[in-house]
Amino acid sequence: MVKKGTDVLKEGFAKMTKGGVIMDVVNAEQAAIAEDAGAVAVMALEKVPADIRAAGGVARMADPTIVEEVVDAVSIPVMAKARIGHIAEAQILETLGVDMIDESEVLTPADEEYHINKKEFTIPFVCGARNLGEALRRINEGAAMIRTKGEPGTGNIVEAVRHMRMVMGEIRTIQGMEEEELWKYARNIEAPIELVKETAELGKLPVVNFAAGGIATPADASLMMQLGSDGIFIGSGIFKSNNPEAFAKAIVEATANYDKPEVLAEVSKGLGQAMKGIEMSTLSEADRMQDRGI
Amino acid sequence: MVKIGILNLQGAVSEHYDMTKKAVENLGLNIKVESVRYSEDVTTCDGLIISGGESTVIGKLIHERGIDKAIKDNSIPVFGTCAGMVLLGKKTDFDQPLIGLMDIAIKRNTYGRQKDSFEAPIEIFGQAYLGLFIRAPALESYDKTKDDIKVLSELGGEIIAIQQGHNIAVSFHPELTDDPLIHEYFIKEVLSKQNQL
């Protein structure tokens, strides 16, 4: 019997992106630049996170025209963002032929209590997480891929590092635990015990785990790979830089050669100015996207 | 010692590594399995597996790192799955670097986008197998004048697995199942080439 939308197909799709870079794009032209540079997928959206931050107001799913334009422009997979808890936006994106949905804190949440029941969809979802509890709650809701939240649109890597280190550290902690201790740990982090046990046994998350939120330079991409990321999402970093083509290529090279400092040095040369970036202490509580949808 | 390399550039690499280890264990053989990233490492392999992932990305890296040349110069048998199948072909419907080891033409995303990805029972080597098709390619055509080409499996009129010499290309993902059947077959192909030398 032929089956679609099964867990193995959803999680398998995410596995095919491992070791790669997924780039935010706002039109067909940027999508083509990303594909040429060697992106494994593109994320179609209306504004990159830095512009969403600057514009203020309510950030929503991209106009379907933009999504379709990007879907038609490239041969690689296309992802798109839906607001947290916005079932209808997700349904629309699935209809448009998007390959994966990012239920994203970058957009203004539609539901402050509940995330989307991602098991109801044929296509897979990726969700952000700051720690193991968040990651496993999202996986329990059906997420086929996890990424750090970082702090989107800041060009500041510090939060993505914090979140990746947190998840990896928690996994190391539970690996040495007795069953009773796992029960208590699962309760404390508000995650299902089955997923906590599975993670402890695997020594890693049960799904692919990417870095996102603040990656601005080739060195940032290498840092996240060295901390154990399966791959890189880059939003504002590329098309907010002075030379997007060169930047996009350099980020791909840096991700593929993350353990070769001499290659990193070479690809980091003469890239021009990276995005300006924002220091965390200057962000107000309300401007912190990572605190949305926990 | 015979060594099977898993090309670790991008995609489902660790899954192939685990499945190859399992196949080696099942066959009770003393074979080394190693993740390889550069041409100098590929040169030391007796067989190479190219995973699924993005064929555009893997193809570029293969070309930049001279891995295609290393494979050809050393006549290393290759087993390619999904994106790996695309790369083994001589032709595909996009302008992208290929290795071109087999006289086959590939149609990328034959079955459509992710919402059309599917699992279906298939048959290969006379046995039932689970076919996992993720934005999968299929064969457009193959050179029927070549007598070393053999179709291994078909589904709904599309060729989904094919062999030429010791090279094998499949459009689905055996590394995501728990059945090492096709990996075992490839290992035997690598060994049969060794014995011929």
Side-chain angles (χ1 to χ4, degrees), chain A residues 21-25 211-212 215-217 232-238 247 251:
Chain A
V21 181
I22 299 166
M23 299 181 191
D24 278 0
V25 299
I215 293 149
T217 66
I232 302 291
F233 278 95
I234 179 156
S236 319
I238 290 176
F247 241 91
I251 298 284

Side-chain angles (χ1 to χ4, degrees), chain A:
Chain A
M1 208 189 63
V2 172
K3 288 188 235 168
K4 291 184 180 177
T6 60
D7 287 350
V8 66
L9 293 171
K10 290 176 173 176
E11 289 165 18
F13 171 83
K15 286 173 181 169
M16 297 312 144
T17 64
K18 284 195 294 181
V21 181
I22 299 166
M23 299 181 191
D24 278 0
V25 299
V26 300
N27 55 40
E29 189 196 343
Q30 290 187 354
I33 291 172
E35 184 174 39
D36 278 348
V40 284
V42 290
M43 176 81 68
L45 67 180
E46 203 147 318
K47 294 191 194 89
V48 294
D51 289 336
I52 290 175
R53 225 173 242 298
V58 175
R60 310 180 178 90
M61 168 188 84
D63 184 325
T65 318
I66 295 176
V67 177
E68 279 184 338
E69 184 184 314
V70 171
V71 164
D72 290 341
V74 292
S75 71
I76 56 178
V78 176
M79 305 182 180
K81 290 185 197 292
R83 280 181 269 178
I84 291 173
H86 208 310
I87 305 160
E89 283 189 351
Q91 289 164 341
I92 292 168
L93 292 173
E94 181 167 65
T95 303
L96 291 171
V98 162
D99 296 293
M100 181 179 243
I101 294 171
D102 184 2
E103 187 181 15
S104 178
E105 68 281 3
V106 167
L107 306 181
T108 312
D111 192 325
E112 292 189 334
E113 294 293 323
Y114 303 105
H115 278 72
I116 296 170
N117 179 355
K118 294 166 270 288
K119 293 175 182 161
E120 300 275 309
F121 287 77
T122 305
I123 60 170
F125 280 70
V126 54
C127 287
R130 298 173 306 175
N131 52 47
L132 187 60
E134 274 186 50
L136 297 183
R137 284 197 291 281
R138 299 295 86 79
I139 293 169
N140 190 51
E141 295 155 3
M145 182 176 186
I146 293 294
R147 54 171 175 74
T148 58
K149 283 179 166 174
E151 190 54 44
T154 60
N156 190 338
I157 196 69
V158 68
E159 296 300 307
V161 168
R162 191 191 316 282
H163 301 162
M164 188 56 76
R165 282 212 183 266
M166 174 63 86
V167 170
M168 296 298 181
E170 286 178 286
I171 293 174
R172 276 191 292 275
T173 304
I174 61 172
Q175 274 185 288
M177 283 187 176
E178 302 279 344
E179 173 115 13
E180 305 87 301
E181 293 172 315
L182 287 175
W183 294 339
K184 178 158 187 230
Y185 198 86
R187 216 162 54 230
N188 286 346
I189 65 168
E190 297 176 43
I193 179 65
E194 299 75 26
L195 286 173
V196 171
K197 275 193 203 166
E198 190 184 347
T199 305
E201 270 161 36
L202 289 170
K204 62 186 177 78
L205 287 181
V207 300
V208 169
N209 183 21
F210 266 48
I215 293 149
T217 66
D220 289 347
S222 163
L223 171 61
M224 295 313 297
M225 293 301 285
Q226 292 189 50
L227 292 178
S229 304
D230 288 321
I232 302 291
F233 278 95
I234 179 156
S236 319
I238 290 176
F239 292 101
K240 284 279 133 191
S241 73
N242 280 354
N243 188 348
E245 282 92 347
F247 241 91
K249 282 204 177 81
I251 298 284
V252 169
E253 284 294 319
T255 305
N257 297 286
Y258 69 91
D259 55 351
K260 298 249 171 198
E262 62 281 8
V263 179
L264 297 174
E266 205 51 46
V267 304
S268 301
K269 281 180 192 164
L271 282 180
Q273 194 123 56
M275 65 183 287
K276 180 162 179 281
I278 300 172
E279 208 285 305
M280 285 309 138
S281 61
T282 63
L283 274 188
S284 71
E285 285 292 311
D287 287 335
R288 283 164 62 91
M289 291 173 172
Q290 61 176 286
D291 299 334
R292 298 165 165 179
I294 57 175

Side-chain angles (χ1 to χ4, degrees), chain B residues 20-31 184 187 191:
Chain B
T20 310
K21 280 269 191 193
K22 190 169 166 181
V24 167
E25 205 172 295
N26 271 4
L27 293 170
L29 294 167
N30 190 18
I31 287 178
E184 288 173 19
I187 291 169
L191 294 177

Side-chain angles (χ1 to χ4, degrees), chain A residues 2-3 6 8-9 13 15-18 35-36 38 40 75 77 95 97 99 253 256-257 259-260, chain B residues 10-11 14-15 37-38 52-54 57 60 64-65 94 108 113-115 117-119 121 135 173 175:
Chain A
V2 172
K3 288 188 235 168
T6 60
V8 66
L9 293 171
F13 171 83
K15 286 173 181 169
M16 297 312 144
T17 64
K18 284 195 294 181
E35 184 174 39
D36 278 348
V40 284
S75 71
T95 303
D99 296 293
E253 284 294 319
N257 297 286
D259 55 351
K260 298 249 171 198
Chain B
Q10 191 273 313
S14 61
E15 290 75 9
R37 301 182 62 205
Y38 297 91
E54 272 311 304
V57 178
K60 251 177 226 157
E64 279 170 19
R65 294 181 180 187
F94 289 92
R108 279 180 58 194
R113 308 192 65 85
Q114 178 60 16
K115 64 178 175 183
S117 290
F118 64 99
E119 47 178 276
R135 285 174 52 98
H173 291 282
E175 78 281 12

